[in-house]
């Protein structure tokens, strides 16, 4: 055999792998082309902005840029825990998000169990459609509707309270405690219908023979729900509850931004809206970046923990 000429059996593995890859690419190039726009958008809006995190460690000035701005290290992170306003914002975020998670887990479960007891398919589907609809409306639209409904002057809710019960008008969106209540209740109203889908799917997967056996044993509908339906739903409830742990610092920017005002900053301002005001309105880009980075790191850790818990207790895994 002459040097430089390889027998077919002696071809390098890399050449075979490359040839196989090219053949596969010829078949799947339309699929790669389809995901190209999404890939470009993800790179532009999710990965390139990561470069801007360097502002958290600088006294960033837009006219100086990243390279000439003064380096201050962890100064902004120290200020995050020294300022009373930023500490209060963290507490507001935790309170609102925990209330949303707890109520957002409990309400869909209860409503899905009640809806499961409806025997008329037409009524059942009609109710499902009605409760799904708010999920597809943006908070820009719903925020405007809520502001009109809850207005002190002329709002239908305050008019009903005054005319029917003789109660003085309540400033729902101007009082901190009432604002939190409105935020949690409106979020549950918007999302519980869509959250029910996974629970209704779990209920649909219950073996009908279990209900028949329970009925033969004399179990009532309530007893069947407690002893048959709920245990069948428990694995998915555990998974959903553990995965929600990663959202502890996400109180809902869109909702609060469209509803809040300076009167409720003390109890309604959350991390995301605080970052927006610090950067866009006050021009303190470095401090806002530090707050956002703090939230992102904590959320990343919580997401990892939640997925580990979901795998441990619910046997749920993505990969």
């Amino acid at each position: 055999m002459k040097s430089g000429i390889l027998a077919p059996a002696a071809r390098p593995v890399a050449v075979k792998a490359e040839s196989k890859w090219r053949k596969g690419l010829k078949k799947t190039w339309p699929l790669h082309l389809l995901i190209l726009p999404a890939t470009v958008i993800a790179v532009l809006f999710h990965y390139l902005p990561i470069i801007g995190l360097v502002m958290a460690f600088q006294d960033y000035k837009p006219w100086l840029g990243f390279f000439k701005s003064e380096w201050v290290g962890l100064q902004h992170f120290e200020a995050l825990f020294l300022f009373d306003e930023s500490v209060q914002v963290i507490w507001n975020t935790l309170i609102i998000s925990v209330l949303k998670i707890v109520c957002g887990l409990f309400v869909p479960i209860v409503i899905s169990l009640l809806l499961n007891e409806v025997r008329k398919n037409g009524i059942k589907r009609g109710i499902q459609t009605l409760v799904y609809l708010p999920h597809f409306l943006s908070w820009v639209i719903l925020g405007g509707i809520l502001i009109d409904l809850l207005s002190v002057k002329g709002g239908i809710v305050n008019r009903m309270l005054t005319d029917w019960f003789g109660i003085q008008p309540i400033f729902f969106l101007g009082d901190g405690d009432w604002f939190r209540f409105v935020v949690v209740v409106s979020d549950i109203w918007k999302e519980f219908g869509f959250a029910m889908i996974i629970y209704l799917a779990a209920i649909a997967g219950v073996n009908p023979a279990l209900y028949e056996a329970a009925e033969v044993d004399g179990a009532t509908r309530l007893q069947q729900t407690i002893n048959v339906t709920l245990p069948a739903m428990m694995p998915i409830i555990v998974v959903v509850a553990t995965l929600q742990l990663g959202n502890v610092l996400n109180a809902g920017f869109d909702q609060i931004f469209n509803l809040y005002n300076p009167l409720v900053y003390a109890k309604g301002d959350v991390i995301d809206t605080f970052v927006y005001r610090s950067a866009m309105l006050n021009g303190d880009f470095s401090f806002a970046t530090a707050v956002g980075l703090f939230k992102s790191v904590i959320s990343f850790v919580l997401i990892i923990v939640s997925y580990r818990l979901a795998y441990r207790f619910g046997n749920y895994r993505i990969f």
Side-chain angles (χ1 to χ4, degrees):
M1 183 184 300
K2 296 181 180 180
S3 61
I5 300 177
L6 297 176
R11 288 179 180 177
V13 177
V15 175
K16 292 184 179 180
E18 182 179 358
S19 177
K20 186 177 180 180
W21 178 81
R22 287 180 178 178
K23 290 181 180 179
L25 184 61
K26 289 180 180 179
K27 295 180 180 179
T28 60
W29 71 266
L31 301 177
H32 289 83
L33 191 62
L34 284 174
I35 67 171
L36 181 60
T39 304
V40 172
I41 291 173
V43 171
L44 288 177
F45 295 101
H46 290 82
Y47 290 97
L48 284 181
I50 292 177
I51 300 172
L53 293 178
V54 70
M55 290 189 294
F57 307 95
Q58 297 177 327
D59 183 14
Y60 177 75
K61 306 295 182 185
W63 54 88
L64 296 177
F66 295 139
F67 300 103
K68 295 184 179 180
S69 295
E70 181 184 357
W71 189 268
V72 297
L74 299 177
Q75 175 179 319
H76 299 298
F77 294 94
E78 294 174 359
L80 172 63
F81 297 99
L82 293 176
F83 293 161
D84 293 337
E85 184 180 6
S86 57
V87 174
Q88 182 62 43
V89 163
I90 295 174
W91 278 113
N92 292 342
T93 304
L94 290 173
I95 292 171
I96 293 175
S97 61
V98 168
L99 288 174
K100 283 185 175 182
I101 290 172
V102 173
C103 297
L105 183 67
F106 177 76
V107 173
I109 294 172
V110 174
I111 302 300
S112 60
L113 290 173
L114 294 175
L115 193 60
N116 184 56
E117 298 302 317
V118 178
R119 297 307 173 193
K120 298 287 186 179
N121 287 331
I123 298 176
K124 187 175 182 178
R125 291 173 183 174
I127 295 174
Q128 286 179 284
T129 302
L130 289 175
V131 297
Y132 291 165
L133 286 178
H135 170 79
F136 299 100
L137 297 177
S138 71
W139 275 113
V140 176
I141 297 173
L142 291 179
I145 294 173
L146 287 172
I147 290 172
D148 288 337
L149 291 176
L150 302 175
S151 173
V152 176
K153 297 181 179 179
I156 188 173
V157 174
N158 275 309
R159 289 176 61 183
M160 291 171 60
L161 291 175
T162 302
D163 297 341
W164 295 1
F165 304 102
I167 300 175
Q168 292 297 320
I170 299 173
F171 200 179
F172 288 101
L173 299 180
D175 180 89
D177 294 326
W178 278 110
F179 180 81
R180 287 179 179 175
F181 175 79
V182 171
V183 166
V184 174
V185 171
S186 60
D187 181 76
I188 300 306
W189 168 74
K190 183 178 184 293
E191 300 295 342
F192 85 90
F194 196 76
M196 281 169 45
I197 294 175
I198 190 170
Y199 301 117
L200 291 173
I203 293 173
V206 179
N207 189 347
L210 297 176
Y211 292 111
E212 295 174 1
E215 191 172 356
V216 169
D217 291 338
T220 62
R221 293 299 304 177
L222 179 60
Q223 291 173 331
Q224 292 177 34
T225 299
I226 296 174
N227 296 290
V228 177
T229 310
L230 275 178
M233 295 173 62
M234 196 54 64
I236 196 64
I237 292 174
V238 171
V239 169
V240 172
T242 52
L243 293 182
Q244 287 295 326
L245 179 63
N247 293 321
V248 168
L249 294 182
N250 292 322
F253 171 80
D254 293 344
Q255 178 192 18
I256 294 177
F257 182 75
N258 284 284
L259 291 176
Y260 84 150
N261 58 75
L263 295 175
V264 296
Y265 281 172
K267 292 189 177 181
D269 199 16
V270 296
I271 292 177
D272 292 329
T273 54
F274 181 65
V275 169
Y276 170 81
R277 289 191 295 105
S278 298
M280 299 303 176
L281 302 183
N282 301 333
D284 194 351
F285 299 103
S286 294
F287 181 69
T289 304
V291 177
L293 181 58
F294 164 77
K295 177 203 166 184
S296 298
V297 171
I298 299 300
S299 297
F300 178 71
V301 173
L302 291 175
I303 288 173
I304 294 176
V305 172
S306 65
Y307 275 104
R308 293 300 300 174
L309 292 175
Y311 174 68
R312 176 75 178 272
F313 298 105
N315 197 27
Y316 171 85
R317 62 187 305 171
I318 297 178
F319 303 107

